[in-house]
Amino acid sequence: MKTPPPDQFRLLRRLAWLGVALAFGLIVLGGVVRITGSGMGCGDHWPRCNGEWFPPLDLPTMIEIGHRWAAALVSVVVAAIAAVAWLKHRHDPALRNPATLALVVLIVQVLLGAVTVKLELPPAVVIVHLANAMVLLAVILVTALRASVPAGEASIGTVRIPAHRDHPLVLATAALGFVVILFGAQVANFHAGLLCLGFPLCNGSALPPGNALAALPWVHRALAFALLAALIALALRLNRRSDRSGQPVRRWVAIVLGTTVVQIGVAAAMVLELLPPSLRAAHLLIGTMVWAGLVVLLFYSRRTARPEPELQSLVDN
């Protein structure tokens, strides 16, 4: 019996999955900072906290400095991912490129964090900060997935197999999911959540409010329902086919669809209960799960070959 070859991707894979977990936790912790009003817990000082590296800790300061130390840990791990990718996989762009991009996005994130504190939490910068954090999570997740499934796109001989036939729809759905997150961030940071009471109707009406700020949560809800509809349509479309090649895509569509249903349920409870902090934190947590699921779904739809008869026709031609 032959000894299996050494797993050359093990170190990068472990670092990348650790980075995914830490980046996910950092996003949720950042939401806790906002929900508890601890964003200025260290004053307008950065990187020090209230002018000190180890200041006396009241609750807001503890939450804010905890977020900063968590960000520092993420920075170390992402830098290690990039270093390993360049030292051990520099000739593999599928691994080197996302690892390098993760480091670039991280640097932007750190700078945005400093600007956010120095400018005393302007909503626009906070929203961009969250959006960039979601991009960072996605890039690290892609690195981890590629290190876990390193074979690249499927091929038969010299024929490169196209992505799954529904990949464009998956891509559009993921883009819609990102837009939903952006509008959710606007609702939270402009404190517009209580301007659209009731669920699913907004202040008893299906029409958007006349006030621009009150219209933000209405648009966020409309986009969330559009995302739900897109996922249902994608699931029905995939389930009409029996090709084995689409199984990972079908599985992840089901996972993301289920998570989205839970997210909408949490959103309804959050609005009806007038935005309690626990449900606001849960809403961010599950929303981040939806985004991560969309990234995984997009990854598999890009790597899933077409049904076997179509593959054979590609080879024959």
Side-chain angles (χ1 to χ4, degrees):
M1 182 176 179
K2 292 183 178 180
T3 303
D7 185 355
Q8 59 179 320
F9 303 102
R10 179 182 300 169
L11 179 58
L12 181 63
R13 181 172 64 247
R14 289 180 174 178
L15 282 171
W17 283 115
L18 175 61
V20 169
L22 291 174
F24 188 100
L26 184 62
I27 290 172
V28 176
L29 183 55
V32 172
V33 170
R34 174 180 53 78
I35 292 166
T36 59
S38 304
M40 298 305 294
C42 288
D44 61 355
H45 297 90
W46 193 94
R48 292 187 295 176
C49 183
N50 293 322
E52 303 178 45
W53 289 111
F54 300 99
L57 297 178
D58 54 21
L59 183 59
T61 303
M62 185 183 304
I63 294 173
E64 170 62 9
I65 201 170
H67 178 250
R68 293 190 185 186
W69 282 115
L73 182 57
V74 171
S75 300
V76 170
V77 173
V78 171
I81 292 169
V84 170
W86 276 93
L87 290 172
K88 300 187 67 174
H89 309 287
R90 67 169 63 92
H91 301 300
D92 188 348
L95 298 175
R96 183 196 65 221
N97 291 349
T100 304
L101 180 58
L103 184 59
V104 173
V105 176
L106 171 70
I107 293 170
V108 173
Q109 185 71 354
V110 171
L111 294 176
L112 284 170
V115 170
T116 300
V117 171
K118 291 295 184 181
L119 297 182
E120 299 186 2
L121 314 181
V125 179
V126 175
I127 292 165
V128 173
H129 190 54
L130 174 64
N132 197 71
M134 293 294 181
V135 173
L136 178 61
L137 173 62
V139 177
I140 301 173
L141 183 52
V142 168
T143 306
L145 288 166
R146 288 186 177 180
S148 302
V149 191
E153 280 118 14
S155 62
I156 297 179
T158 59
V159 178
R160 183 177 178 181
I161 305 306
H164 192 278
R165 69 172 73 181
D166 291 318
H167 177 70
L169 295 177
V170 173
L171 181 59
T173 303
L176 177 59
F178 190 74
V179 173
V180 173
I181 290 170
L182 291 181
F183 271 89
Q186 291 186 68
V187 171
N189 285 282
F190 285 106
H191 307 289
L194 292 178
L195 300 179
C196 189
L197 295 176
F199 192 93
L201 299 179
C202 179
N203 299 326
S205 173
L207 299 176
N211 180 276
L213 191 59
L216 272 178
W218 185 92
V219 174
H220 176 55
R221 293 185 193 184
L223 290 171
F225 284 124
L227 176 63
L228 178 64
L231 288 167
I232 292 173
L234 191 56
L236 293 174
R237 181 181 175 90
L238 291 169
N239 285 334
R240 285 199 296 265
R241 306 197 189 106
S242 59
D243 58 291
R244 290 175 296 173
S245 64
Q247 286 179 355
V249 179
R250 283 199 299 272
R251 179 169 62 249
W252 278 99
V253 166
I255 291 171
V256 177
L257 175 57
T259 310
T260 301
V261 171
V262 173
Q263 174 72 336
I264 291 175
V266 170
M270 182 179 68
V271 172
L272 295 174
E273 295 294 326
L274 303 182
L275 312 184
S278 58
L279 288 179
R280 291 167 68 190
H283 191 55
L284 176 62
L285 170 66
I286 301 171
T288 308
M289 291 172 61
V290 171
W291 171 241
L294 286 169
V295 173
V296 177
L297 171 60
L298 191 59
F299 172 83
Y300 278 111
S301 73
R302 183 65 187 88
R303 288 192 168 209
T304 299
R306 292 186 179 182
E308 290 177 6
E310 295 187 28
L311 299 188
Q312 190 59 51
S313 67
L314 285 171
V315 175
D316 293 340
N317 293 332

